Amino acid sequence: MSGAGGITRTRQDIAAGDIPVDTPRLPAREAAESELSKPMYHENDPNFLQRALNQFWDWVAGVFDAAAGAAPGGPAGLAVLVVIVIGLAAALWWRLGTPQRSARNTDALFDSTGPRSAAQHRATAEAHAAALRWTEAVQERMRAIVRSLEERALLDPRPGRTADEAAAEAGRTLPEHTARLRAAARSFDDVTYGGRTADRSAYLSLRTLDLELDEAKPLLPGPSRGATG
């Protein structure tokens, strides 16, 4: 085949539409995305929760790395700081108890279920003690003590009174029991608002105090020693 003949043949092929067809970029990309979106390619992909957890732990790792870079001594220094913070938090919790109050009026000794007699509180306390529920037994016994003092007119019935206030007021007419009344109020506060757990000895202490107060003679106000008739 001569050169002129080859050129002629090539032109004929071009005219006949034998040139390879190039697919434009945009349709090609869309075709690839459509192919890859088929479920067969995503059978082993993590679910939404797993992806969220992975992102969270990646964030935590980033925060830790940033803190380690800024802390003196690098990762070891950061670990020491974390231990110190945890220790301080534990010490505060042990000292102050679990925060469960936003205002002082939530410390009321009696709940809003209605007035109950001292005998009723004592019976409830004994039932809790028999079931070894010492925390509830301590609470009910302290309520029995205060209700008994109200029934004897040694305390004025006053809604919203706290255990500390009741102990302080009762100590004025029963001075020999002031220290034990305050200790009983602290026990009530510890188990009711401080997240502590009472035990048998704590309950028996309040029970003994209740029985002694029931027979104690109050110090009533009288004429001054210097008064004359």
Side-chain angles (χ1 to χ4, degrees):
M1 180 183 296
S2 64
I7 293 174
T8 301
R9 178 58 180 170
T10 301
R11 290 177 178 174
Q12 292 175 349
D13 292 339
I14 292 175
D18 292 339
I19 297 178
V21 178
D22 294 332
T23 304
R25 292 184 179 180
L26 182 58
R29 184 177 65 184
E30 293 177 349
E33 291 176 351
S34 176
E35 177 67 21
L36 293 176
S37 66
K38 294 180 179 179
M40 61 180 295
Y41 295 106
H42 302 278
E43 293 178 351
N44 298 321
D45 288 356
N47 57 33
F48 175 78
L49 179 59
Q50 290 173 330
R51 292 196 301 271
L53 288 175
N54 291 338
Q55 292 177 356
F56 171 76
W57 288 119
D58 290 342
W59 175 81
V60 171
V63 171
F64 182 84
D65 291 341
L78 179 62
V80 172
L81 291 176
V82 170
V83 171
I84 293 174
V85 170
I86 293 175
L88 290 174
L92 287 173
W93 180 86
W94 178 257
R95 178 65 181 86
L96 302 177
T98 304
Q100 296 180 356
R101 295 170 289 175
S102 57
R104 185 63 185 171
N105 58 8
T106 61
D107 295 354
L109 179 64
F110 297 100
D111 53 32
S112 58
T113 58
R116 302 173 64 198
S117 67
Q120 289 175 318
H121 285 296
R122 288 185 182 118
T124 303
E126 288 295 302
H128 285 310
L132 304 183
R133 295 189 294 266
W134 302 116
T135 295
E136 293 82 354
V138 164
Q139 292 171 325
E140 286 299 313
R141 202 75 198 199
M142 185 63 193
R143 292 174 179 133
I145 290 174
V146 176
R147 186 66 78 203
S148 176
L149 294 174
E150 291 177 349
E151 291 173 352
R152 295 172 61 193
L154 299 181
L155 286 177
D156 294 330
R158 177 160 56 85
R161 175 187 278 123
T162 67
D164 291 332
E165 291 169 347
E169 294 171 17
R172 299 188 186 105
T173 55
L174 297 166
E176 295 182 357
H177 298 84
T178 299
R180 295 175 64 192
L181 281 166
R182 290 177 177 173
R186 284 196 300 271
S187 296
F188 177 87
D189 287 344
D190 286 344
V191 301
T192 305
Y193 311 114
R196 307 293 174 82
T197 302
D199 55 16
R200 181 175 182 271
S201 63
Y203 174 70
L204 292 180
S205 177
L206 265 71
R207 184 177 183 273
T208 300
L209 176 62
D210 184 21
L211 296 176
E212 292 181 2
L213 289 175
D214 201 39
E215 298 179 357
K217 294 182 179 180
L219 180 63
L220 300 176
S224 61
R225 294 180 180 179
T228 56

